[in-house]
Amino acid sequence: SGPWMCYPGQAFQVPALPGCRPVLKLQCNGSKVPEAVLRDCCQQLADISGWCRCGALYSMLDSMYKEHGMQEGQAGTGAFPHCRREVVKLTAASITAVCRLPIVVDASGDGAYVCKDVAAYLDA
Protein backbone atom coordinates (compact mmCIF):
# COMPACT_ATOMS: atom_id res chain seq x y z
CA SER A 1 0.00 0.00 0.00
CA GLY A 2 1.05 3.60 -0.43
CA PRO A 3 -0.15 7.03 -1.49
CA TRP A 4 -0.20 6.09 -5.19
CA MET A 5 -3.26 3.92 -4.48
CA CYS A 6 -5.37 6.97 -3.66
CA TYR A 7 -4.97 9.14 -6.74
CA PRO A 8 -8.01 9.52 -9.00
CA GLY A 9 -7.82 7.45 -12.16
CA GLN A 10 -5.92 4.62 -10.49
CA ALA A 11 -7.38 1.15 -10.02
CA PHE A 12 -8.24 1.96 -6.41
CA GLN A 13 -11.27 4.22 -6.19
CA VAL A 14 -12.01 6.07 -2.97
CA PRO A 15 -15.66 5.82 -1.87
CA ALA A 16 -17.57 8.98 -1.02
CA LEU A 17 -18.14 7.81 2.60
CA PRO A 18 -21.96 7.98 2.72
CA GLY A 19 -21.90 7.17 6.44
CA CYS A 20 -19.79 10.24 7.21
CA ARG A 21 -22.00 12.75 5.44
CA PRO A 22 -24.52 13.02 8.30
CA VAL A 23 -21.64 13.26 10.81
CA LEU A 24 -20.23 16.25 8.96
CA LYS A 25 -23.61 17.96 8.65
CA LEU A 26 -24.55 17.38 12.31
CA GLN A 27 -21.16 18.44 13.71
CA CYS A 28 -21.04 21.48 11.48
CA ASN A 29 -24.45 22.65 12.66
CA GLY A 30 -23.53 22.07 16.30
CA SER A 31 -25.83 19.07 16.76
CA LYS A 32 -24.97 15.94 18.70
CA VAL A 33 -24.03 13.01 16.49
CA PRO A 34 -25.85 9.79 17.47
CA GLU A 35 -23.46 6.99 18.42
CA ALA A 36 -24.74 4.65 15.70
CA VAL A 37 -24.20 7.30 13.00
CA LEU A 38 -20.66 7.97 14.20
CA ARG A 39 -19.94 4.23 14.36
CA ASP A 40 -21.04 3.78 10.71
CA CYS A 41 -18.79 6.64 9.60
CA CYS A 42 -15.79 5.37 11.57
CA GLN A 43 -16.25 1.85 10.21
CA GLN A 44 -16.28 3.14 6.64
CA LEU A 45 -13.11 5.17 7.31
CA ALA A 46 -11.44 2.22 9.04
CA ASP A 47 -11.93 0.15 5.88
CA ILE A 48 -9.82 2.69 3.94
CA SER A 49 -6.02 2.68 4.05
CA GLY A 50 -4.41 5.28 6.33
CA TRP A 51 -2.81 6.71 3.18
CA CYS A 52 -6.23 7.38 1.65
CA ARG A 53 -8.47 8.51 4.54
CA CYS A 54 -7.89 12.23 4.04
CA GLY A 55 -8.41 11.91 0.31
CA ALA A 56 -11.64 10.04 0.94
CA LEU A 57 -12.85 12.84 3.24
CA TYR A 58 -11.93 15.44 0.63
CA SER A 59 -13.75 13.44 -2.04
CA MET A 60 -16.84 13.22 0.18
CA LEU A 61 -16.83 16.96 0.87
CA ASP A 62 -16.27 17.79 -2.78
CA SER A 63 -19.14 15.54 -3.87
CA MET A 64 -21.45 17.09 -1.25
CA TYR A 65 -20.73 20.56 -2.63
CA LYS A 66 -21.21 19.41 -6.23
CA GLU A 67 -24.53 17.67 -5.44
CA HIS A 68 -25.87 21.03 -4.30
CA GLY A 69 -24.56 22.81 -7.39
CA MET A 70 -22.06 24.76 -5.35
CA GLN A 71 -18.50 25.64 -6.09
CA GLU A 72 -15.98 24.38 -3.54
CA GLY A 73 -15.99 26.38 -0.36
CA GLN A 74 -19.15 28.35 -1.05
CA ALA A 75 -20.95 28.58 2.27
CA GLY A 76 -24.38 29.51 3.52
CA THR A 77 -26.50 27.40 1.16
CA GLY A 78 -27.03 23.83 0.06
CA ALA A 79 -25.11 21.13 1.90
CA PHE A 80 -24.03 23.31 4.84
CA PRO A 81 -26.56 26.12 5.35
CA HIS A 82 -25.29 27.13 8.81
CA CYS A 83 -21.56 26.60 8.37
CA ARG A 84 -18.79 28.90 7.28
CA ARG A 85 -16.29 27.46 4.80
CA GLU A 86 -13.50 27.22 7.40
CA VAL A 87 -15.74 25.35 9.84
CA VAL A 88 -16.78 22.84 7.17
CA LYS A 89 -13.14 22.16 6.25
CA LEU A 90 -11.94 21.82 9.84
CA THR A 91 -14.86 19.58 10.72
CA ALA A 92 -14.13 17.27 7.76
CA ALA A 93 -10.40 17.27 8.56
CA SER A 94 -11.07 16.23 12.17
CA ILE A 95 -13.34 13.23 11.47
CA THR A 96 -10.31 10.90 11.51
CA ALA A 97 -9.43 12.19 14.99
CA VAL A 98 -13.01 11.79 16.22
CA CYS A 99 -12.86 8.18 15.01
CA ARG A 100 -9.35 7.75 16.51
CA LEU A 101 -8.09 6.52 13.14
CA PRO A 102 -4.50 7.37 12.21
CA ILE A 103 -3.58 8.78 8.84
CA VAL A 104 -0.24 8.65 7.05
CA VAL A 105 0.98 12.18 6.43
CA ASP A 106 4.05 11.65 4.23
CA ALA A 107 6.29 9.13 2.50
CA SER A 108 8.30 8.50 5.69
CA GLY A 109 5.18 6.82 7.10
CA ASP A 110 4.76 9.42 9.85
CA GLY A 111 1.24 9.42 11.20
CA ALA A 112 -1.26 11.90 12.57
CA TYR A 113 -4.95 12.03 13.39
CA VAL A 114 -6.12 15.28 11.73
CA CYS A 115 -6.14 15.71 7.96
CA LYS A 116 -4.29 18.96 7.49
CA ASP A 117 -4.12 18.31 3.76
CA VAL A 118 -7.93 18.25 3.41
CA ALA A 119 -8.11 21.87 4.51
CA ALA A 120 -5.12 22.85 2.37
CA TYR A 121 -6.47 20.98 -0.66
CA LEU A 122 -9.79 22.81 -0.48
CA ASP A 123 -7.98 26.17 -0.46
CA ALA A 124 -6.45 25.40 -3.85
Side-chain angles (χ1 to χ4, degrees), residues 4-6 18-20 27 30 34 45 47 49 55 59 62 66 69 72 75 82 84 89 94 97 99 101 107 109:
W4 59 88
M5 293 177 59
C6 308
C20 293
Q27 281 187 331
L45 263 180
D47 289 343
S49 160
S59 178
D62 187 51
K66 286 179 180 168
E72 285 180 19
H82 305 293
R84 290 192 336 263
K89 291 189 303 184
S94 68
C99 292
L101 292 170

PDB file of all heavy atoms in Angstrom, residues 4-6 18-20 27 30 34 45 47 49 55 59 62 66 69 72 75 82 84 89 94 97 99 101 107 109:
ATOM      1  N   TRP A   4       0.162   6.216  -3.776  1.00  0.00           N
ATOM      2  CA  TRP A   4      -0.201   6.095  -5.187  1.00  0.00           C
ATOM      3  C   TRP A   4      -1.533   5.384  -5.385  1.00  0.00           C
ATOM      4  O   TRP A   4      -2.143   5.498  -6.418  1.00  0.00           O
ATOM      5  CB  TRP A   4       0.898   5.354  -5.946  1.00  0.00           C
ATOM      6  CG  TRP A   4       1.146   3.982  -5.415  1.00  0.00           C
ATOM      7  CD1 TRP A   4       0.514   2.837  -5.770  1.00  0.00           C
ATOM      8  CD2 TRP A   4       2.071   3.624  -4.386  1.00  0.00           C
ATOM      9  NE1 TRP A   4       0.982   1.774  -5.029  1.00  0.00           N
ATOM     10  CE2 TRP A   4       1.948   2.235  -4.168  1.00  0.00           C
ATOM     11  CE3 TRP A   4       2.996   4.338  -3.630  1.00  0.00           C
ATOM     12  CZ2 TRP A   4       2.707   1.557  -3.219  1.00  0.00           C
ATOM     13  CZ3 TRP A   4       3.750   3.651  -2.694  1.00  0.00           C
ATOM     14  CH2 TRP A   4       3.605   2.279  -2.500  1.00  0.00           C
ATOM     15  N   MET A   5      -1.987   4.636  -4.379  1.00  0.00           N
ATOM     16  CA  MET A   5      -3.259   3.922  -4.483  1.00  0.00           C
ATOM     17  C   MET A   5      -4.452   4.866  -4.417  1.00  0.00           C
ATOM     18  O   MET A   5      -5.553   4.493  -4.770  1.00  0.00           O
ATOM     19  CB  MET A   5      -3.380   2.902  -3.352  1.00  0.00           C
ATOM     20  CG  MET A   5      -2.401   1.766  -3.433  1.00  0.00           C
ATOM     21  SD  MET A   5      -2.564   0.668  -2.024  1.00  0.00           S
ATOM     22  CE  MET A   5      -4.259   0.155  -2.173  1.00  0.00           C
ATOM     23  N   CYS A   6      -4.257   6.074  -3.952  1.00  0.00           N
ATOM     24  CA  CYS A   6      -5.374   6.970  -3.660  1.00  0.00           C
ATOM     25  C   CYS A   6      -5.656   7.983  -4.755  1.00  0.00           C
ATOM     26  O   CYS A   6      -6.651   8.684  -4.694  1.00  0.00           O
ATOM     27  CB  CYS A   6      -5.100   7.732  -2.372  1.00  0.00           C
ATOM     28  SG  CYS A   6      -4.675   6.662  -1.009  1.00  0.00           S
ATOM     29  N   PRO A  18     -20.587   7.556   2.427  1.00  0.00           N
ATOM     30  CA  PRO A  18     -21.957   7.977   2.716  1.00  0.00           C
ATOM     31  C   PRO A  18     -22.287   8.023   4.207  1.00  0.00           C
ATOM     32  O   PRO A  18     -23.093   8.843   4.639  1.00  0.00           O
ATOM     33  CB  PRO A  18     -22.823   6.949   1.975  1.00  0.00           C
ATOM     34  CG  PRO A  18     -21.920   5.773   1.747  1.00  0.00           C
ATOM     35  CD  PRO A  18     -20.522   6.338   1.627  1.00  0.00           C
ATOM     36  N   GLY A  19     -21.641   7.176   5.004  1.00  0.00           N
ATOM     37  CA  GLY A  19     -21.903   7.171   6.440  1.00  0.00           C
ATOM     38  C   GLY A  19     -21.348   8.383   7.173  1.00  0.00           C
ATOM     39  O   GLY A  19     -21.767   8.681   8.289  1.00  0.00           O
ATOM     40  N   CYS A  20     -20.385   9.073   6.562  1.00  0.00           N
ATOM     41  CA  CYS A  20     -19.785  10.239   7.214  1.00  0.00           C
ATOM     42  C   CYS A  20     -20.478  11.548   6.857  1.00  0.00           C
ATOM     43  O   CYS A  20     -20.287  12.561   7.528  1.00  0.00           O
ATOM     44  CB  CYS A  20     -18.303  10.336   6.870  1.00  0.00           C
ATOM     45  SG  CYS A  20     -17.335   8.981   7.566  1.00  0.00           S
ATOM     46  N   GLN A  27     -22.226  17.754  12.979  1.00  0.00           N
ATOM     47  CA  GLN A  27     -21.155  18.438  13.712  1.00  0.00           C
ATOM     48  C   GLN A  27     -21.066  19.898  13.295  1.00  0.00           C
ATOM     49  O   GLN A  27     -20.888  20.778  14.121  1.00  0.00           O
ATOM     50  CB  GLN A  27     -19.810  17.758  13.476  1.00  0.00           C
ATOM     51  CG  GLN A  27     -19.600  16.515  14.284  1.00  0.00           C
ATOM     52  CD  GLN A  27     -18.183  15.974  14.125  1.00  0.00           C
ATOM     53  OE1 GLN A  27     -17.548  16.142  13.107  1.00  0.00           O
ATOM     54  NE2 GLN A  27     -17.714  15.307  15.161  1.00  0.00           N
ATOM     55  N   GLY A  30     -23.564  22.054  14.847  1.00  0.00           N
ATOM     56  CA  GLY A  30     -23.532  22.069  16.303  1.00  0.00           C
ATOM     57  C   GLY A  30     -24.457  21.063  16.967  1.00  0.00           C
ATOM     58  O   GLY A  30     -24.736  21.170  18.154  1.00  0.00           O
ATOM     59  N   PRO A  34     -25.486  11.059  16.818  1.00  0.00           N
ATOM     60  CA  PRO A  34     -25.851   9.791  17.466  1.00  0.00           C
ATOM     61  C   PRO A  34     -24.722   8.771  17.341  1.00  0.00           C
ATOM     62  O   PRO A  34     -24.027   8.718  16.316  1.00  0.00           O
ATOM     63  CB  PRO A  34     -27.093   9.333  16.690  1.00  0.00           C
ATOM     64  CG  PRO A  34     -27.649  10.579  16.069  1.00  0.00           C
ATOM     65  CD  PRO A  34     -26.458  11.451  15.782  1.00  0.00           C
ATOM     66  N   LEU A  45     -14.469   4.614   7.361  1.00  0.00           N
ATOM     67  CA  LEU A  45     -13.113   5.173   7.314  1.00  0.00           C
ATOM     68  C   LEU A  45     -12.068   4.123   7.664  1.00  0.00           C
ATOM     69  O   LEU A  45     -10.992   4.097   7.068  1.00  0.00           O
ATOM     70  CB  LEU A  45     -12.987   6.349   8.280  1.00  0.00           C
ATOM     71  CG  LEU A  45     -13.144   7.737   7.712  1.00  0.00           C
ATOM     72  CD1 LEU A  45     -12.989   8.776   8.812  1.00  0.00           C
ATOM     73  CD2 LEU A  45     -12.192   8.019   6.586  1.00  0.00           C
ATOM     74  N   ASP A  47     -12.104   1.068   7.008  1.00  0.00           N
ATOM     75  CA  ASP A  47     -11.929   0.151   5.876  1.00  0.00           C
ATOM     76  C   ASP A  47     -11.035   0.738   4.782  1.00  0.00           C
ATOM     77  O   ASP A  47     -10.716   0.056   3.815  1.00  0.00           O
ATOM     78  CB  ASP A  47     -13.294  -0.208   5.266  1.00  0.00           C
ATOM     79  CG  ASP A  47     -14.108  -1.110   6.195  1.00  0.00           C
ATOM     80  OD1 ASP A  47     -13.520  -1.711   7.118  1.00  0.00           O
ATOM     81  OD2 ASP A  47     -15.337  -1.193   6.000  1.00  0.00           O
ATOM     82  N   SER A  49      -7.422   2.584   3.648  1.00  0.00           N
ATOM     83  CA  SER A  49      -6.020   2.675   4.048  1.00  0.00           C
ATOM     84  C   SER A  49      -5.725   4.028   4.697  1.00  0.00           C
ATOM     85  O   SER A  49      -6.298   5.056   4.312  1.00  0.00           O
ATOM     86  CB  SER A  49      -5.138   2.492   2.808  1.00  0.00           C
ATOM     87  OG  SER A  49      -3.853   3.012   3.022  1.00  0.00           O
ATOM     88  N   GLY A  55      -7.904  11.772   1.670  1.00  0.00           N
ATOM     89  CA  GLY A  55      -8.405  11.913   0.308  1.00  0.00           C
ATOM     90  C   GLY A  55      -9.864  11.514   0.204  1.00  0.00           C
ATOM     91  O   GLY A  55     -10.642  12.134  -0.521  1.00  0.00           O
ATOM     92  N   SER A  59     -12.861  13.876  -0.979  1.00  0.00           N
ATOM     93  CA  SER A  59     -13.753  13.435  -2.043  1.00  0.00           C
ATOM     94  C   SER A  59     -15.206  13.533  -1.599  1.00  0.00           C
ATOM     95  O   SER A  59     -16.077  13.978  -2.354  1.00  0.00           O
ATOM     96  CB  SER A  59     -13.396  12.000  -2.430  1.00  0.00           C
ATOM     97  OG  SER A  59     -14.262  11.524  -3.414  1.00  0.00           O
ATOM     98  N   ASP A  62     -16.158  17.275  -1.416  1.00  0.00           N
ATOM     99  CA  ASP A  62     -16.272  17.793  -2.781  1.00  0.00           C
ATOM    100  C   ASP A  62     -17.576  17.335  -3.430  1.00  0.00           C
ATOM    101  O   ASP A  62     -18.292  18.120  -4.046  1.00  0.00           O
ATOM    102  CB  ASP A  62     -15.060  17.323  -3.590  1.00  0.00           C
ATOM    103  CG  ASP A  62     -15.014  17.950  -4.970  1.00  0.00           C
ATOM    104  OD1 ASP A  62     -15.124  19.196  -5.059  1.00  0.00           O
ATOM    105  OD2 ASP A  62     -14.855  17.209  -5.942  1.00  0.00           O
ATOM    106  N   LYS A  66     -20.781  19.534  -4.830  1.00  0.00           N
ATOM    107  CA  LYS A  66     -21.214  19.408  -6.227  1.00  0.00           C
ATOM    108  C   LYS A  66     -22.669  18.976  -6.337  1.00  0.00           C
ATOM    109  O   LYS A  66     -23.381  19.408  -7.239  1.00  0.00           O
ATOM    110  CB  LYS A  66     -20.300  18.445  -6.973  1.00  0.00           C
ATOM    111  CG  LYS A  66     -18.945  19.058  -7.260  1.00  0.00           C
ATOM    112  CD  LYS A  66     -18.016  18.105  -7.967  1.00  0.00           C
ATOM    113  CE  LYS A  66     -16.687  18.805  -8.223  1.00  0.00           C
ATOM    114  NZ  LYS A  66     -15.659  17.883  -8.650  1.00  0.00           N
ATOM    115  N   GLY A  69     -24.843  21.836  -6.347  1.00  0.00           N
ATOM    116  CA  GLY A  69     -24.559  22.809  -7.385  1.00  0.00           C
ATOM    117  C   GLY A  69     -23.709  23.966  -6.917  1.00  0.00           C
ATOM    118  O   GLY A  69     -23.802  25.073  -7.436  1.00  0.00           O
ATOM    119  N   GLU A  72     -16.661  24.727  -4.782  1.00  0.00           N
ATOM    120  CA  GLU A  72     -15.979  24.383  -3.543  1.00  0.00           C
ATOM    121  C   GLU A  72     -15.881  25.582  -2.626  1.00  0.00           C
ATOM    122  O   GLU A  72     -15.533  26.678  -3.055  1.00  0.00           O
ATOM    123  CB  GLU A  72     -14.562  23.879  -3.847  1.00  0.00           C
ATOM    124  CG  GLU A  72     -14.551  22.495  -4.397  1.00  0.00           C
ATOM    125  CD  GLU A  72     -13.146  22.049  -4.687  1.00  0.00           C
ATOM    126  OE1 GLU A  72     -12.211  22.642  -4.150  1.00  0.00           O
ATOM    127  OE2 GLU A  72     -13.003  21.096  -5.466  1.00  0.00           O
ATOM    128  N   ALA A  75     -20.249  28.899   1.027  1.00  0.00           N
ATOM    129  CA  ALA A  75     -20.947  28.578   2.270  1.00  0.00           C
ATOM    130  C   ALA A  75     -22.290  29.295   2.334  1.00  0.00           C
ATOM    131  O   ALA A  75     -22.543  30.242   1.606  1.00  0.00           O
ATOM    132  CB  ALA A  75     -20.090  28.968   3.470  1.00  0.00           C
ATOM    133  N   HIS A  82     -25.650  26.367   7.609  1.00  0.00           N
ATOM    134  CA  HIS A  82     -25.291  27.134   8.809  1.00  0.00           C
ATOM    135  C   HIS A  82     -23.800  27.139   9.095  1.00  0.00           C
ATOM    136  O   HIS A  82     -23.391  27.485  10.197  1.00  0.00           O
ATOM    137  CB  HIS A  82     -26.056  26.592  10.025  1.00  0.00           C
ATOM    138  CG  HIS A  82     -27.536  26.570   9.810  1.00  0.00           C
ATOM    139  ND1 HIS A  82     -28.282  27.704   9.681  1.00  0.00           N
ATOM    140  CD2 HIS A  82     -28.389  25.532   9.658  1.00  0.00           C
ATOM    141  CE1 HIS A  82     -29.546  27.377   9.481  1.00  0.00           C
ATOM    142  NE2 HIS A  82     -29.635  26.058   9.452  1.00  0.00           N
ATOM    143  N   ARG A  84     -19.767  28.163   8.073  1.00  0.00           N
ATOM    144  CA  ARG A  84     -18.789  28.905   7.278  1.00  0.00           C
ATOM    145  C   ARG A  84     -17.822  27.910   6.648  1.00  0.00           C
ATOM    146  O   ARG A  84     -17.601  26.815   7.155  1.00  0.00           O
ATOM    147  CB  ARG A  84     -18.017  29.883   8.161  1.00  0.00           C
ATOM    148  CG  ARG A  84     -18.845  31.037   8.657  1.00  0.00           C
ATOM    149  CD  ARG A  84     -18.008  32.143   9.285  1.00  0.00           C
ATOM    150  NE  ARG A  84     -16.721  31.722   9.804  1.00  0.00           N
ATOM    151  CZ  ARG A  84     -16.482  31.423  11.077  1.00  0.00           C
ATOM    152  NH1 ARG A  84     -17.451  31.506  11.962  1.00  0.00           N
ATOM    153  NH2 ARG A  84     -15.281  31.070  11.453  1.00  0.00           N
ATOM    154  N   LYS A  89     -14.433  22.800   6.511  1.00  0.00           N
ATOM    155  CA  LYS A  89     -13.142  22.161   6.246  1.00  0.00           C
ATOM    156  C   LYS A  89     -12.536  21.565   7.508  1.00  0.00           C
ATOM    157  O   LYS A  89     -12.064  20.428   7.499  1.00  0.00           O
ATOM    158  CB  LYS A  89     -12.168  23.164   5.630  1.00  0.00           C
ATOM    159  CG  LYS A  89     -12.550  23.584   4.225  1.00  0.00           C
ATOM    160  CD  LYS A  89     -11.483  24.408   3.555  1.00  0.00           C
ATOM    161  CE  LYS A  89     -11.123  25.644   4.324  1.00  0.00           C
ATOM    162  NZ  LYS A  89     -10.156  26.501   3.628  1.00  0.00           N
ATOM    163  N   SER A  94     -11.190  16.809  10.823  1.00  0.00           N
ATOM    164  CA  SER A  94     -11.070  16.228  12.169  1.00  0.00           C
ATOM    165  C   SER A  94     -11.835  14.917  12.343  1.00  0.00           C
ATOM    166  O   SER A  94     -11.757  14.294  13.399  1.00  0.00           O
ATOM    167  CB  SER A  94     -11.541  17.236  13.216  1.00  0.00           C
ATOM    168  OG  SER A  94     -12.941  17.445  13.102  1.00  0.00           O
ATOM    169  N   ALA A  97      -9.769  12.099  13.568  1.00  0.00           N
ATOM    170  CA  ALA A  97      -9.428  12.195  14.990  1.00  0.00           C
ATOM    171  C   ALA A  97     -10.610  11.779  15.861  1.00  0.00           C
ATOM    172  O   ALA A  97     -10.437  11.076  16.863  1.00  0.00           O
ATOM    173  CB  ALA A  97      -8.996  13.621  15.337  1.00  0.00           C
ATOM    174  N   CYS A  99     -12.793   9.653  15.122  1.00  0.00           N
ATOM    175  CA  CYS A  99     -12.858   8.185  15.007  1.00  0.00           C
ATOM    176  C   CYS A  99     -11.622   7.490  15.594  1.00  0.00           C
ATOM    177  O   CYS A  99     -11.567   6.263  15.624  1.00  0.00           O
ATOM    178  CB  CYS A  99     -13.011   7.785  13.547  1.00  0.00           C
ATOM    179  SG  CYS A  99     -14.593   8.229  12.813  1.00  0.00           S
ATOM    180  N   LEU A 101      -8.708   7.274  14.221  1.00  0.00           N
ATOM    181  CA  LEU A 101      -8.085   6.515  13.145  1.00  0.00           C
ATOM    182  C   LEU A 101      -6.872   7.284  12.643  1.00  0.00           C
ATOM    183  O   LEU A 101      -6.996   8.422  12.207  1.00  0.00           O
ATOM    184  CB  LEU A 101      -9.074   6.317  11.986  1.00  0.00           C
ATOM    185  CG  LEU A 101     -10.257   5.411  12.295  1.00  0.00           C
ATOM    186  CD1 LEU A 101     -11.280   5.493  11.178  1.00  0.00           C
ATOM    187  CD2 LEU A 101      -9.791   3.981  12.495  1.00  0.00           C
ATOM    188  N   ALA A 107       5.637  10.345   2.985  1.00  0.00           N
ATOM    189  CA  ALA A 107       6.288   9.127   2.504  1.00  0.00           C
ATOM    190  C   ALA A 107       7.120   8.416   3.571  1.00  0.00           C
ATOM    191  O   ALA A 107       7.410   7.236   3.448  1.00  0.00           O
ATOM    192  CB  ALA A 107       7.164   9.455   1.299  1.00  0.00           C
ATOM    193  N   GLY A 109       6.091   7.658   6.329  1.00  0.00           N
ATOM    194  CA  GLY A 109       5.183   6.825   7.102  1.00  0.00           C
ATOM    195  C   GLY A 109       4.759   7.468   8.406  1.00  0.00           C
ATOM    196  O   GLY A 109       4.075   6.854   9.206  1.00  0.00           O
TER     197      GLY A 109
END
